[in-house]
Amino acid sequence: MANEIWTIKRCLEWTKEYLAERGEEHPRLSAEWLLCAATGLARIDLYMRMDETLDAAQLETMHAAVVRRAKGEPLQYITGSTQFRMIDVACAPGVLIPRPETEMLVEEVLNYLDAEVLSPEAAARQRVELPWNDEVEQARKAEAALADERAAAERRAANLTAADEAALGSDVLGSRAYAEELADREAEEAAAQAAEAEAAEAEAMETPEPELDEYGIAIEDNDQQATPAQDAAEANVSAPAEPRTARVLEVGCGTGCISLSLAWERRGHVTCTATDIEPRAIDLATKNRDALGLTSDEVAFSLTNLVSSIPREEWGTFDVLVSNPPYIPTDVMRSLPHEVKDFEPDLALEGGADGLDIFRRLLNAAPYMLRAGGLFACELYEGALDAAAELCRQAGLSDVRIVHDLTDRPRIVRAIVTEPKQRI
């Protein structure tokens, strides 16, 4: 068998059949993932290079991977990575594998930040099509059309000679008189519309719209001068707050996928502090941060129990506390799929009798960590969301909502801290 020729096509088909016989739910997809990891090719490249032969090292890697997968080990651990929203994250045994549901948790946080933190006043000041902009353009077009008609009328009138008039009679005389009258009237109308257009354009230019970056945040322009009208208006209105950097606290970061996605997708506008009690998680998350080119100022990872390492001076300064904590109820742990129960860490999965043990501790910490109006958001077990929402209300949080995942199962609880607390 060592002397046999194994092309990509043959290896793909053999692996698919082998895994299917052992109960793999998606054998072809799994075979593609494993081949991509062994060869370094993208999935589309596999099909473009079906006749290429795998070398000895690739065959050895593929053989070991197929054996691991046949035993039920998750593909992400075997291939060493997975995709999460817009980024690729490294995965490794001992650290929870990111799930699609958690991508929705990131989306909830981004929606909140965009609406409430990053650009609240910018959202109201975003450049819109001012009502007079279209009027100015229409007036310009009308002016040009009228000028053309006036010139044509003048040409018609000028071309009528005295002989023409005598030969054609009063109808032509009337036509010439009408043409001259029309030309004069059109000239007056064009002048009036041009004056209106200039006035509207001047009014529009008095209040220039701010230049916005890709997230709708106004870009500073030190050369922009306020007009007298603006000065008068702003005398009775407080100046809008300067755009600021949002601060996010994540508890139980695992691979770092939540914090890294937030910082990556709103780079320059969001900084994250992320904690985990598992050293392997902190090491892996740091590796993922470095691979993305993010800095420790943008995403800082800390090995600690929940929020224990957060300096006292930073309490009450965070805009968001987000977490995908251990939330599987103890009784449910026994019924988890083999590849989850036997390969992923219990520490990152089990959440106590009702799945809310860690959630309760996070809920207790939220009013101390968040500023007034800050967001508390957690991904939880589908059967525990109603209880979690009620706990949030009992704790005095407001705007408590349950968010459903793509399969319409309740998955995320989010709430607002209205009254921050301080420990003496």
Side-chain angles (χ1 to χ4, degrees):
M1 186 172 178
N3 295 326
E4 293 184 48
I5 296 176
W6 286 85
T7 63
I8 288 177
K9 180 178 181 180
R10 185 184 178 197
C11 192
L12 179 63
E13 294 300 324
W14 185 91
T15 304
K16 180 192 72 173
E17 294 175 7
Y18 182 84
L19 294 177
E21 291 172 356
R22 283 152 182 79
E24 174 70 45
E25 186 175 0
H26 303 289
R28 188 174 191 86
L29 181 61
S30 294
E32 290 172 346
W33 274 38
L34 297 177
L35 261 175
C36 287
T39 61
L41 298 174
R43 284 177 65 193
I44 190 171
D45 291 332
L46 294 178
Y47 291 91
M48 299 292 290
R49 302 162 71 168
M50 281 290 196
D51 294 332
E52 287 192 12
T53 303
L54 276 67
D55 61 31
Q58 291 170 333
L59 278 172
E60 183 177 352
T61 299
M62 189 65 184
H63 177 265
V66 171
V67 170
R68 292 170 66 183
R69 182 57 188 161
K71 293 179 179 178
E73 186 172 353
L75 281 166
Q76 295 89 340
Y77 287 162
I78 300 171
T79 62
S81 68
T82 193
Q83 188 172 20
F84 186 85
R85 290 181 65 89
M86 297 173 64
I87 63 176
D88 289 327
V89 294
C91 298
V95 182
L96 189 70
I97 297 169
R99 300 311 203 267
E101 294 86 350
T102 309
E103 296 186 5
M104 296 186 62
L105 179 61
V106 173
E107 188 72 18
E108 285 296 315
V109 173
L110 287 175
N111 289 339
Y112 166 81
L113 292 177
D114 288 344
E116 305 296 336
V117 181
L118 296 182
S119 57
E121 90 275 3
R125 296 172 58 195
Q126 281 189 8
R127 186 172 185 85
V128 295
E129 190 64 21
L130 299 175
W132 57 75
N133 287 351
D134 186 59
E135 296 174 4
V136 170
E137 183 61 24
Q138 292 299 323
R140 287 174 177 167
K141 291 179 179 179
E143 179 185 353
L146 288 171
D148 289 342
E149 290 181 13
R150 180 176 182 277
E154 290 175 341
R155 285 195 299 272
R156 289 194 300 271
N159 288 336
L160 290 175
T161 64
D164 292 330
E165 293 171 1
L168 296 175
S170 60
D171 287 343
V172 174
L173 288 175
S175 297
R176 181 175 183 180
Y178 173 76
E180 291 174 340
E181 181 183 349
L182 177 63
D184 291 338
R185 185 169 67 248
E186 290 173 345
E188 292 174 358
E189 291 174 354
Q193 294 215 15
E196 292 177 2
E198 290 176 0
E201 187 173 12
E203 183 180 358
M205 293 180 66
E206 286 179 358
T207 55
E209 292 297 313
E211 183 182 358
L212 305 177
D213 67 10
E214 59 185 312
Y215 303 117
I217 298 175
I219 298 174
E220 292 276 349
D221 184 359
N222 295 329
D223 295 331
Q224 201 173 39
Q225 299 295 323
T227 65
Q230 287 174 312
D231 291 337
E234 291 173 358
N236 297 320
V237 180
S238 60
E242 293 294 327
R244 64 181 180 84
T245 300
R247 303 193 72 234
V248 175
L249 173 61
E250 181 191 1
V251 177
C253 64
T255 62
C257 60
I258 294 176
S259 288
L260 294 175
S261 289
L262 293 171
W264 179 259
E265 294 184 39
R266 297 294 183 272
R267 191 161 193 182
H269 299 292
V270 175
T271 62
C272 301
T273 298
T275 71
D276 205 292
I277 198 171
E278 170 58 61
R280 287 175 292 182
I282 294 298
D283 290 343
L284 187 61
T286 302
K287 174 183 175 182
N288 284 324
R289 180 190 67 194
D290 294 345
L292 288 169
L294 293 169
T295 68
S296 58
D297 289 334
E298 294 173 295
V299 183
F301 294 112
S302 176
L303 179 64
T304 190
N305 184 18
L306 301 181
V307 298
S308 299
S309 66
I310 305 302
R312 184 65 64 94
E313 60 269 20
E314 294 187 23
W315 289 13
T317 66
F318 293 99
D319 298 292
V320 175
L321 194 165
V322 61
S323 181
N324 176 20
Y327 61 66
I328 305 298
T330 303
D331 288 344
V332 178
M333 287 288 293
R334 291 189 289 271
S335 62
L336 290 176
H338 164 58
E339 68 177 60
V340 176
K341 178 176 60 178
D342 295 335
F343 290 94
E344 296 198 66
D346 287 353
L347 184 64
L349 292 169
E350 187 170 355
D354 61 357
L356 296 175
D357 281 2
I358 301 299
F359 173 79
R360 289 186 177 87
R361 297 173 65 184
L362 293 172
L363 178 58
N364 180 63
Y368 296 97
M369 297 295 110
L370 294 172
R371 61 165 178 80
L375 175 71
F376 174 57
C378 284
E379 177 183 332
L380 295 170
Y381 179 66
E382 61 185 274
L385 266 298
D386 288 336
E390 182 58 30
L391 288 172
C392 287
R393 296 186 189 96
Q394 292 175 6
L397 275 64
S398 65
D399 193 18
V400 181
R401 305 182 207 171
I402 294 173
V403 180
H404 289 235
D405 62 22
L406 296 176
T407 62
D408 202 32
R409 291 185 174 93
R411 184 59 62 192
I412 296 166
V413 64
R414 49 161 293 169
I416 299 297
V417 169
T418 52
E419 297 182 6
K421 297 180 181 179
Q422 293 183 350
R423 284 197 177 101
I424 301 175

